[in-house]
Amino acid sequence: MPKNICKEIDYLAEGMGLLQHLAMGETFAGLRNHLDKSHGNPFREGLKKFELLEQIEERAKKVFGKDMEEIQYYFTSYEKNEISCPGKAVLLWNEHDYLKAKDVSDIASSLDKLSETEYCETFGSFLQGILSAIQEEEKDTQKTKEPFAVISRLMELDIPDSDKWKLQKIFFDQKGHQGNVLALLEKAALLLQDFSQELEALAEDFCRYWTGQFQDTSPSSYIQEKLHIDVGENPMGLRVCPNFMRPNTGSFYMELDDGGNYKQAGLFRIGIIFGEDFSLQTSREQTDTGYGHYASQVLKLLGDKSKFEILSYIRDKEAYGSELAKHLGLTTATISHHMNALINADLAKIKRIDKRVYYISNKKALGKVLDYSKGLLLGNTQDTR
């Protein structure tokens, strides 16, 4: 799989990330403190990255002071899929397509060219992925060629009625909302460009570091090892880009046609805090304190009956979403929600075979947590009373 490690900054994508960050009411200082506690104070080089992020955040709060109500309306992420938000629905946001956009006028022009059928199909595709970044098999997806089909799909989503109503209003008055969202996005992109010198310096470091990381291994093997995602070998290659406003995430995007073939190069966005002192798979065993926090979170997940049953079912075999849904009597959307939590906690892995996503338990990680908990709570005693 040929790779292209980019040092160019995608100001539109970063602007979208900044707006979502502001809408959620979180702070980069809070994120840094959380990661410090969870992973045993790992940051050295990463401190200068957080310093810049906090400067950008402080400026943004001043610049967008009067816009916060509108930002929260359009950019508050969905509870079960923090990647998506209503603003992305307005723009039919596509990570691949908008890499080519130079400014918001390119996005507006792209939207204006859509026929009614194309608009319905694209909006329907957005709804299909709204609950989870992990997609079910595409062949089960029905085409939404007209408005009734779009609304029918919308009504099937496992989201609050208020969110359904908001999406319905956006669908029927996309033009009316488009101007609001593009104005906010342009404002965010211009704000970030004021920090272009500092961001470009970090992008240079990003390119240098990841060029070295991928020197002796293929990107697909690296992603499988670090993120437990089997992305396959895309003959069209992989584009690796820095992610500033979502600094602690690693996100992989791919597009397949109806035959299950790759439509274009894959896209791997990597948060900028990952580097010399904080790897993409930072060991949760760096310190007892850090691992203890992780172990307690895992035990909390295992206390959920559905997650416990899922891990039991995929203990020794792979299973896909609708299979798990049928076995547990749950919706596929609910299964995706549970799987996101299990994968983020390193308790499950995903594997793509043809056009279907399969899940399997990560017994090694689970075993470490249980052994750690047993030793901490019971010691080395052999007394089984």
Side-chain angles (χ1 to χ4, degrees):
M1 177 188 290
K3 53 188 175 294
N4 176 18
I5 301 175
C6 307
K7 59 182 179 181
E8 295 82 7
I9 300 169
D10 185 345
Y11 284 103
L12 291 177
E14 296 300 338
M16 177 67 73
L18 175 59
L19 291 168
Q20 287 186 272
H21 174 76
L22 292 174
M24 297 302 289
E26 300 169 344
T27 67
F28 289 122
L31 173 62
R32 171 172 49 78
N33 290 334
H34 170 72
L35 294 175
D36 274 343
K37 292 178 181 178
S38 299
H39 297 281
N41 302 306
F43 293 111
R44 296 180 297 277
E45 291 295 323
L47 291 177
K48 68 178 182 180
K49 301 174 185 177
F50 273 109
E51 182 179 348
L52 175 59
L53 292 175
E54 290 168 34
Q55 290 176 8
I56 292 173
E57 178 184 83
E58 182 178 0
R59 173 82 66 83
K61 287 180 178 179
K62 294 178 180 178
V63 170
F64 287 104
K66 297 180 180 179
D67 301 312
M68 284 308 301
E69 184 175 348
E70 196 170 41
I71 286 175
Q72 289 169 352
Y73 180 87
Y74 286 116
F75 297 100
T76 299
S77 300
Y78 298 108
E79 178 184 357
K80 296 181 180 179
N81 181 6
E82 62 180 22
I83 294 176
S84 293
C85 63
K88 288 188 174 182
V90 173
L91 303 184
L92 302 177
W93 188 264
N94 182 296
E95 294 289 340
H96 287 91
D97 290 349
Y98 289 151
L99 273 174
K100 307 167 188 175
K102 297 179 181 179
D103 51 39
V104 296
S105 63
D106 284 348
I107 297 178
S109 176
S110 176
L111 293 172
D112 290 341
K113 292 177 182 178
L114 293 176
S115 66
E116 180 178 343
T117 299
E118 289 171 331
Y119 175 63
C120 289
E121 289 183 343
T122 309
F123 201 96
S125 295
F126 180 87
L127 295 179
Q128 183 70 18
I130 208 168
L131 293 178
S132 174
I134 302 171
Q135 298 297 305
E136 287 299 318
E137 52 269 38
E138 296 290 340
K139 65 183 180 183
D140 291 341
T141 301
Q142 297 179 352
K143 295 293 185 180
T144 50
K145 295 181 179 293
E146 44 85 25
F148 179 78
V150 175
I151 299 305
S152 296
R153 175 168 295 172
L154 174 58
M155 292 300 105
E156 294 173 356
L157 294 179
D158 184 20
I159 59 176
D161 289 341
S162 58
D163 286 331
K164 291 181 181 180
W165 176 238
K166 186 184 295 186
L167 285 168
Q168 182 171 312
K169 289 194 292 185
I170 287 172
F171 174 69
F172 284 115
D173 186 22
Q174 191 263 350
K175 290 289 185 184
H177 293 279
Q178 180 180 314
N180 298 335
V181 174
L182 287 178
L184 291 169
L185 183 59
E186 182 175 38
K187 196 172 180 179
L190 290 173
L191 183 152
L192 289 170
Q193 288 173 27
D194 289 341
F195 293 88
S196 60
Q197 185 174 353
E198 295 92 337
L199 291 172
E200 287 169 7
L202 290 185
E204 288 279 359
D205 291 342
F206 174 93
C207 187
R208 188 180 308 111
Y209 175 79
W210 288 103
T211 297
Q213 289 293 301
F214 289 141
Q215 187 171 5
D216 299 322
T217 185
S218 71
S220 59
S221 298
Y222 190 95
I223 294 171
Q224 183 171 9
E225 176 187 354
K226 301 297 184 182
L227 300 180
H228 306 300
I229 301 175
D230 184 354
V231 301
E233 288 290 341
N234 186 344
M236 304 181 74
L238 177 70
R239 184 183 177 98
V240 181
C241 300
N243 196 335
F244 294 90
M245 295 299 106
R246 295 177 60 82
N248 62 318
T249 63
S251 305
F252 182 79
Y253 304 90
M254 63 181 176
E255 284 193 311
L256 305 174
D257 61 22
D258 292 337
N261 302 308
Y262 294 98
K263 294 176 65 175
Q264 55 188 307
L267 175 62
F268 189 22
R269 291 195 183 278
I270 306 177
I272 59 162
I273 66 168
F274 299 113
E276 296 294 342
D277 57 7
F278 195 74
S279 72
L280 193 59
Q281 192 185 35
T282 297
S283 173
R284 296 186 173 97
E285 299 177 38
Q286 285 184 350
T287 66
D288 288 341
T289 301
Y291 193 76
H293 175 79
Y294 166 64
S296 68
Q297 294 301 309
V298 168
L299 294 177
K300 183 177 179 180
L301 289 175
L302 295 178
D304 181 277
K305 181 174 179 291
S306 294
K307 293 181 179 65
F308 189 90
E309 290 179 348
I310 287 172
L311 287 174
S312 298
Y313 189 80
I314 61 174
R315 183 189 65 192
D316 297 313
K317 67 173 184 176
E318 300 161 345
Y320 53 92
S322 55
E323 178 184 349
L324 287 169
K326 182 178 180 180
H327 176 71
L328 273 71
L330 302 172
T331 66
T332 55
T334 301
I335 291 296
S336 292
H337 173 60
H338 288 311
M339 292 311 308
N340 278 341
L342 293 174
I343 291 168
N344 287 336
D346 203 21
L347 302 181
K349 305 177 183 180
I350 68 174
K351 182 177 183 180
R352 189 180 71 85
I353 302 177
D354 295 328
K355 298 177 67 178
R356 179 170 283 175
V357 171
Y358 287 84
Y359 309 100
I360 191 166
S361 171
N362 185 357
K363 291 192 288 186
K364 182 178 180 181
L366 184 57
K368 284 184 178 180
V369 171
L370 296 178
D371 287 343
Y372 170 87
S373 301
K374 180 180 178 181
L376 189 65
L377 297 173
L378 302 179
N380 296 320
T381 178
Q382 298 299 312
D383 190 347
T384 58
R385 290 178 294 175

